[in-house]
Amino acid sequence: MTPCPPKTSCLTCRLSDLCLPFGLQIDEVETLEIIIKNKRPLRLNELLFTKDQECLSLFAVKSGSFRRFMINADGLEQTLGFYLPGELIGLDALFDGHFTCSVDALETSSVCELPLTRLNELCTKIPNLQYQLTRILSKEITTNHEQMFLLSNNSAKLKIATFLLMLSKRFGALGYSNTHFNLSMPRQVIASFLGLSNETISRQLTALCKENIISVNQRQVQIHDLTLLEAIIEPYHSH
Amino acid sequence: MTPCPPKTSCLTCRLSDLCLPFGLQIDEVETLEIIIKNKRPLRLNELLFTKDQECLSLFAVKSGSFRRFMINADGLEQTLGFYLPGELIGLDALFDGHFTCSVDALETSSVCELPLTRLNELCTKIPNLQYQLTRILSKEITTNHEQMFLLSNNSAKLKIATFLLMLSKRFGALGYSNTHFNLSMPRQVIASFLGLSNETISRQLTALCKENIISVNQRQVQIHDLTLLEAIIEPYHSH
DNA sequence: CGTTGTTTTGACACTAGTCAATGGGTGTGG
DNA sequence: CCACACCCATTGACTAGTGTCAAAACAACG
C-alpha cells in the first residue's frame, strides 16, 4: 500500500518553465493542471511503457530519470536516449497512437501523466498550449539531430566527451551544477547508447581522468576543465 | 532568366497523401495551396538554407532529394539525414525560429515553400492541418529514433544493410520500386552519414554483391534478396 | 560476511581507418 | 571523334582503435 501522492501543481513546480506550461497564462495553467493524473513513483528498471503499446497518455518527468530503448539484432537492449526532469516522454507516439520504443526508470522516478484525449481537447481551446507542444516537438527533433551528430562521429573519445557535455548542459539548464553530477545509468547503458563496449567507456573515462579533465568516482562525475572537454569536440573552435 | 515554374497544386500532386494535405477536406487543401510559394529548382549541391539562418518558411520536397548536414570537429561536412519527395524540411526550426542544420540538394530538386506566418495562421483556422503537422513532427521523431538505432550499432555491415533497407522502404512508400533504385549521393556522403569511411562503404557493398544479396553499378542499386538483407539486421527474427 | 552485480584492467584478435595506387566514368576542348 | 583531365569508386597494404574474453577489484545489499 503506497500512500496517494500529493496532487501535482504546475503553478508551484520549479520545472514549469521547461515543461508544457511555459508561456501559458495562470488561468490556462490551472486548466491544464486539472487533467494531470498522478501515478505512483516508478522504481529502478520499472517500465513506463513498452514498444508497440497503445499510447493513451504523454508523460512529463517530475523527478529522477528515464531511458528509452529497443531490442537490437543481438537480442540486447539498445539505449536510444535519456529523459531528465521537465522533459516530455511519448512524443513519438503522436503519429499513430503507438509507442515506438520502450521506456524504463533509471532510478526511483516520478512522472505527471497527461491523458491524450483531454490534452488534445485542451490544445484546441488554448492556442498557447498547442504552440508550446509544437515547440517541444521541434526541440525534441533538434535534440535528436545532436545525438545523431554525436553517434556518426567515429571516435570513442569524442563520443564520451560529447556525452558528458550533453549531460552537463542539461543538468545546468535544470538549475543543477554543470560540473558535478551523478550518472543515473550504469556503464553498460552508456555503452549501448554510444555504440561502444562498456570496457571502452571505462578506459576512456580513466583516460580523461589521467588528463586531469575530469574525475570519476563510480557514478559521480566532476568536470575540472569544461574548456578542455569542449576542446576535444571542437579542436578548431570552428563553431 | 529561368521561366516561372507552373503554380503548384496539392490537389493533383501525387505526394499529397504523404505530405501536409493528408486528411484535409478539398476546400481546406485549396486554402493551403494559396499560401504555397514557388521556388526555382535547386541544382546539385545548391544550399536550401544554412545552419543558424532565420527560418521564415518550411519546405516540402516536390522532386529530387536533399541532405541535412553540419560541420564536424574536423571541419568536414557530416551528413545527418536525407529528405525525399513528400517530406517536410525545417521542422527543427519551429522551436526558436532558426535552422539547426544546413540543407543542400543532392541532385536537381524542387520544393514547395510554406511561409511560416501564413502556415501558423492557417493552423489555427484548420484543426485538421494543425493535427497533421503534429503527426508529421511526431513521425520525424520516430524516423530520428530509427536512425539513432542504426548509428549506435557498431558493425559496418549492419549499418550498410540498414541503410539500404531504409531507402528501400522509403522509395517503396513513394510508389517507386523497393528493390531497384538509384542512390543520389556519393559514397563519401553515405560514409559521413553512417560514421564510416568511404572505403568501408565500398568494401561492404562489394561484400554484399559477392553474397548475391545485391548488385551495385555506380549509384544504381538492385536488391536481389530482400529477406537475406533483412536477416542481416534481424538474425533471430526477434522483431 | 558472503553474495551479487558493476567497474576496472589486461591480453589478444579483429574490424575499420588511413594512405596510396589503380581503374572507370563523365565532360571538355582540341 | 579522340585525348585529356577530373572526380569518384575500388582495391591493397598496413595500422590504430575497439571489441572480446577473462580475471580481479570494488561496491551494494541482504
Side-chain angles (χ1 to χ4, degrees), chain B residues 154-156 195-197 199-200 203-204 218:
Chain B
N154 41 32
S155 137
L196 299 166
S197 70
E199 291 93 335
T200 299
R203 281 189 256 262
Q204 292 296 333
Q218 295 296 111

Side-chain angles (χ1 to χ4, degrees), chain A residues 156-170:
Chain A
K157 185 170 186 177
L158 223 56
K159 284 184 181 178
I160 296 275
T162 313
F163 173 71
L164 290 174
L165 284 168
M166 181 192 83
L167 284 182
S168 162
K169 200 170 137 195
R170 282 164 82 177

Side-chain angles (χ1 to χ4, degrees), chain B:
Chain B
M1 289 282 142
T2 48
C4 183
K7 181 68 188 145
T8 299
S9 172
C10 295
L11 284 169
T12 59
C13 180
R14 55 179 204 81
L15 296 168
S16 63
D17 275 4
L18 301 160
C19 193
L20 215 38
F22 179 76
L24 264 56
Q25 306 294 322
I26 291 183
D27 60 324
E28 292 172 339
V29 177
E30 283 167 347
T31 313
L32 173 63
E33 222 167 81
I34 295 170
I35 73 164
I36 296 175
K37 287 206 289 188
N38 292 296
K39 279 179 77 88
R40 64 164 181 73
L42 283 86
R43 287 179 301 264
L44 172 66
N45 292 338
E46 203 174 339
L47 284 161
L48 184 58
F49 52 77
T50 56
K51 181 172 171 347
D52 298 328
Q53 189 179 317
E54 188 182 358
C55 168
L56 300 173
S57 301
L58 297 184
F59 303 95
V61 181
K62 203 155 44 173
S63 68
S65 54
F66 291 84
R67 169 179 83 114
R68 181 176 71 243
F69 69 96
M70 281 175 66
I71 307 300
N72 73 9
D74 297 323
L76 302 173
E77 292 177 354
Q78 190 161 321
T79 301
L80 296 168
F82 303 103
Y83 296 100
L84 297 185
E87 296 175 346
L88 245 59
I89 306 180
L91 297 173
D92 52 313
L94 295 179
F95 175 62
D96 77 346
H98 293 266
F99 296 113
T100 61
C101 300
S102 302
V103 169
D104 67 1
L106 287 167
E107 58 195 309
T108 303
S109 307
S110 59
V111 291
C112 299
E113 180 173 355
L114 301 149
L116 259 191
T117 49
R118 307 201 61 183
L119 184 62
N120 283 332
E121 277 168 34
L122 228 54
C123 278
T124 59
K125 286 186 202 144
I126 308 176
N128 278 337
L129 182 61
Q130 177 67 63
Y131 180 61
Q132 175 62 1
L133 183 62
T134 301
R135 276 170 42 91
I136 288 176
L137 279 158
S138 174
K139 189 175 188 184
E140 170 91 7
I141 292 173
T142 301
T143 307
N144 290 338
H145 288 175
E146 284 167 5
Q147 273 186 35
M148 290 187 248
F149 186 68
L150 185 176
L151 289 169
S152 56
N153 236 310
N154 41 32
S155 137
K157 186 171 187 177
L158 223 57
K159 283 184 180 177
I160 296 275
T162 312
F163 174 70
L164 290 175
L165 284 169
M166 180 192 85
L167 284 182
S168 162
K169 200 171 137 195
R170 282 163 82 177
F171 281 124
L174 278 172
Y176 300 128
S177 166
N178 66 340
T179 56
H180 192 278
F181 47 82
N182 269 62
L183 305 173
S184 55
M185 70 293 283
R187 301 285 187 272
Q188 183 59 55
V189 168
I190 303 177
S192 81
F193 175 64
L194 296 178
L196 299 166
S197 70
N198 49 3
E199 291 93 335
T200 299
I201 305 293
S202 256
R203 281 189 256 262
Q204 292 296 333
L205 284 177
T206 51
L208 287 174
C209 286
K210 279 173 186 162
E211 295 180 58
N212 279 320
I213 297 175
I214 62 170
S215 59
V216 180
N217 192 315
Q218 295 296 111
R219 305 277 178 94
Q220 212 169 98
V221 174
Q222 186 163 4
I223 303 177
H224 294 131
D225 196 329
L226 214 50
T227 318
L228 276 177
L229 201 57
E230 281 161 356
I232 293 173
I233 66 168
E234 292 188 12
Y236 304 117
H237 296 267
S238 63
H239 187 252

Side-chain angles (χ1 to χ4, degrees), chain A:
Chain A
M1 289 284 141
T2 48
C4 183
K7 180 69 188 144
T8 299
S9 172
C10 295
L11 285 170
T12 59
C13 179
R14 57 179 203 82
L15 296 167
S16 63
D17 275 4
L18 300 160
C19 192
L20 216 38
F22 178 77
L24 265 56
Q25 307 294 321
I26 291 182
D27 59 323
E28 293 172 338
V29 177
E30 283 167 345
T31 313
L32 173 63
E33 223 169 79
I34 296 170
I35 72 164
I36 296 174
K37 288 206 287 187
N38 290 298
K39 279 177 79 86
R40 64 164 180 73
L42 282 87
R43 288 180 300 265
L44 173 66
N45 292 338
E46 203 174 341
L47 283 161
L48 185 57
F49 52 76
T50 55
K51 182 173 170 349
D52 298 327
Q53 189 180 318
E54 190 183 356
C55 168
L56 300 173
S57 300
L58 297 184
F59 303 95
V61 181
K62 202 157 41 173
S63 67
S65 53
F66 291 85
R67 169 180 82 114
R68 181 174 72 242
F69 69 95
M70 282 176 66
I71 307 300
N72 73 8
D74 296 323
L76 303 172
E77 291 177 353
Q78 190 161 321
T79 301
L80 295 168
F82 303 104
Y83 296 101
L84 297 185
E87 296 175 347
L88 246 59
I89 306 180
L91 297 173
D92 52 312
L94 295 179
F95 176 62
D96 76 348
H98 292 266
F99 295 113
T100 62
C101 300
S102 303
V103 169
D104 67 1
L106 287 167
E107 59 196 307
T108 302
S109 306
S110 59
V111 291
C112 299
E113 181 174 354
L114 300 150
L116 260 191
T117 50
R118 306 201 62 184
L119 184 63
N120 283 331
E121 276 169 36
L122 227 55
C123 277
T124 60
K125 286 185 202 145
I126 309 176
N128 277 338
L129 181 61
Q130 176 69 63
Y131 181 61
Q132 174 62 0
L133 183 61
T134 302
R135 276 169 44 91
I136 288 176
L137 279 158
S138 173
K139 190 177 186 181
E140 169 91 6
I141 292 173
T142 301
T143 307
N144 289 338
H145 288 176
E146 284 167 5
Q147 274 187 34
M148 290 188 248
F149 186 67
L150 185 175
L151 288 169
S152 56
N153 235 311
N154 41 32
S155 138
K157 185 170 186 177
L158 223 56
K159 284 184 181 178
I160 296 275
T162 313
F163 173 71
L164 290 174
L165 284 168
M166 181 192 83
L167 284 182
S168 162
K169 200 170 137 195
R170 282 164 82 177
F171 281 124
L174 278 171
Y176 300 127
S177 165
N178 66 340
T179 55
H180 192 277
F181 47 83
N182 269 63
L183 305 172
S184 55
M185 69 294 283
R187 301 284 189 272
Q188 183 59 56
V189 168
I190 303 177
S192 82
F193 175 63
L194 296 178
L196 299 167
S197 70
N198 49 2
E199 292 93 335
T200 299
I201 305 293
S202 255
R203 281 189 256 261
Q204 292 296 334
L205 284 177
T206 52
L208 286 174
C209 285
K210 279 174 186 162
E211 293 181 58
N212 279 321
I213 298 175
I214 61 171
S215 58
V216 179
N217 192 315
Q218 295 296 112
R219 305 277 179 93
Q220 212 169 99
V221 173
Q222 186 162 3
I223 302 176
H224 293 131
D225 196 330
L226 214 50
T227 317
L228 275 177
L229 200 57
E230 281 161 355
I232 292 173
I233 67 168
E234 292 187 13
Y236 304 119
H237 296 266
S238 63
H239 188 263

